[in-house]
Amino acid sequence: ELKHAQVTEESYTNQIDTYGRIIALTRQMMINDDLGAFLQIPRILGRQSALAVESAVFTLLLSNPNSFFSAGNKNLVSGASSALQISSLTTVEQAFSDQTDKDGKPILITPAILLLPTSLKVLGQQRMTETRVNENTTTDKPKPANNPHAGKWEPLASPYLNSQGIAGGSATAWYLLANPADVAAMEIAYLRGQRTPVIESGETDFDTLGMKWRGYFDFGVAMQDFRAAVKSTGV
């Protein structure tokens, strides 16, 4: 006899907002621009749009909304032993692997990305590439010379993580993340699936001589599944 299984849903919310900027030049400024620098304005607006998404993602991540990273969610590792090293990688990987579903059964999600502040970029790359390592050890407790984590995850670094301009930034904290195609820890939503900004140009008001350029982007960022990420504070 086959037993009936139940299918349940977990819901996540996200809200899209509009972000934009306007750049205006007078006719005199355009005439005096011998190098045609104003032609770079659409590119500038496009780059600012990309930076707006990047900033929104990391600002939300570092704010740790609703205690996303917490002992209760079993995705936060802290203390002196949480600094980026072989043993802490092992601890964080186990925390990631031990996540369970609502029935208390393993969900078998594996990490794919080692997310680092730029202060740990080189060290993280070494941890992912070097097969032989030398680490300090306590008396009579030798450590293996091989690196069991070499090549496991893709190391990615962002200056936003240790930026002093964003609350919650840290030069020591690092993260393990699942492949977002598998289970996403964060989500970026776009209006009608439009993943690029809209950039338009036009003349200024009739009583002035010049042109304006505007760029706007509709997107939203939200936290998703806490089981898809583990944070190590590094201290």
Side-chain angles (χ1 to χ4, degrees):
E1 179 183 357
L2 298 179
K3 296 182 179 180
H4 288 275
Q6 293 183 344
V7 178
T8 60
E9 293 183 352
E10 291 191 25
S11 61
Y12 303 98
T13 60
N14 201 340
Q15 181 176 343
I16 294 175
D17 203 350
T18 300
Y19 303 81
R21 288 289 187 272
I22 293 178
I23 297 178
L25 294 181
T26 65
R27 177 173 176 269
Q28 185 176 8
M29 293 169 65
M30 296 169 62
I31 293 175
N32 291 336
D33 184 14
D34 296 332
L35 299 179
F38 72 92
L39 298 177
Q40 301 298 319
I41 289 178
R43 182 179 299 178
I44 294 172
L45 289 172
R47 186 175 187 275
Q48 291 299 317
S49 298
L51 290 177
V53 176
E54 197 86 359
S55 177
V57 166
F58 286 101
T59 299
L60 180 64
L61 178 69
L62 293 174
S63 70
N64 195 28
N66 300 316
S67 299
F68 186 86
F69 296 103
S70 62
N73 286 339
K74 300 179 181 180
N75 63 353
L76 180 65
V77 178
S78 60
S81 60
S82 65
L84 185 60
Q85 55 190 338
I86 301 299
S87 58
S88 60
L89 286 169
T90 302
T91 300
V92 172
E93 182 183 29
Q94 181 181 356
F96 204 110
S97 301
D98 288 347
Q99 288 285 9
T100 58
D101 59 19
K102 289 184 176 180
D103 296 325
K105 297 181 179 180
I107 56 177
L108 301 180
I109 298 177
T110 57
I113 298 171
L114 176 62
L115 182 61
L116 308 158
T118 51
S119 54
L120 297 177
K121 178 180 179 179
V122 174
L123 180 60
Q125 290 173 337
Q126 289 176 335
R127 291 291 183 262
M128 291 299 101
T129 56
E130 293 292 340
T131 57
R132 307 289 291 180
V133 294
N134 292 316
E135 287 195 324
N136 294 332
T137 181
T138 56
T139 305
D140 299 327
K141 291 184 178 181
K143 291 183 179 180
N146 67 303
N147 178 9
H149 300 296
K152 274 188 177 180
W153 312 300
E154 180 183 6
L156 297 176
S158 172
Y160 283 94
L161 289 177
N162 53 300
S163 171
Q164 297 181 359
I166 301 180
S170 170
T172 61
W174 51 278
Y175 305 76
L176 273 186
L177 305 174
N179 186 333
D182 186 8
V183 180
M186 301 185 72
E187 177 194 64
I188 303 175
Y190 300 95
L191 183 62
R192 298 192 181 97
Q194 178 69 32
R195 293 173 175 263
T196 56
V198 176
I199 299 177
E200 301 171 331
S201 63
E203 294 184 358
T204 54
D205 296 336
F206 188 76
D207 57 348
T208 61
L209 296 175
M211 289 193 65
K212 289 183 178 181
W213 289 260
R214 68 182 182 187
Y216 58 92
F217 204 3
D218 303 299
F219 67 89
V221 181
M223 306 303 295
Q224 294 292 298
D225 199 324
F226 66 84
R227 292 163 294 194
V230 176
K231 176 182 179 179
S232 180
T233 62
V235 291

